[in-house]
Amino acid sequence: MADGFEVDLGALKDAATGVDDTLAQVGQQSVTDIPHDAGKIGHGHLADVLSDFLSRWKRGVDNLAKDGKEVVDRLTASNNAYVKADQDAQQHIVTAANGDIQGSGPDPGVQ
């Protein structure tokens, strides 16, 4: 279509579902589940460095999950807006067609 655009509603919905599924998988295991205490690591300083790293990693994962949720919300809102616009346009066409069929206006073919 040269003068317009087309939106693949299925792709929007699939993208939202895919991101949401990924977020669910990420949420099943926490970074803090990785053992990082000195007793398990065997070295106090290494355990502290690992703990700091895991803390920053968790913050990063949390921020990505928050951003991912925003992506899901926007994809879903976009899909819903396009569906509503399609439904409204279809209803407008049906209403206009029913008006013409019922003779609510002059016949443009009659002179």
Side-chain angles (χ1 to χ4, degrees), residues 91-109:
Q91 184 58 44
H92 181 71
I93 291 168
V94 167
T95 300
N98 286 339
D100 288 343
I101 291 170
Q102 294 173 3
S104 64
D107 184 350

Side-chain angles (χ1 to χ4, degrees), residues 8-101:
D8 185 342
L9 297 178
L12 277 177
K13 191 174 182 179
D14 290 346
T17 300
V19 173
D20 205 32
D21 290 348
T22 300
L23 291 173
Q25 289 176 1
V26 167
Q28 289 178 355
Q29 186 172 7
S30 176
V31 172
T32 56
D33 291 343
I34 298 171
H36 57 276
D37 63 5
K40 297 204 177 179
I41 299 298
H43 189 273
H45 181 66
L46 180 58
D48 291 342
V49 170
L50 181 58
S51 179
D52 181 54
F53 172 77
L54 292 176
S55 174
R56 287 184 282 127
W57 185 8
K58 182 178 179 339
R59 249 181 288 140
V61 169
D62 290 347
N63 287 334
L64 286 173
K66 180 181 169 191
D67 292 347
K69 179 66 175 131
E70 181 70 21
V71 168
V72 169
D73 291 346
R74 288 182 184 208
L75 287 169
T76 301
S78 294
N79 184 65
N80 292 344
Y82 281 115
V83 167
K84 181 166 179 1
D86 282 349
Q87 290 170 344
D88 289 349
Q90 182 180 26
Q91 184 58 44
H92 181 71
I93 291 168
V94 167
T95 300
N98 286 339
D100 288 343
I101 291 170

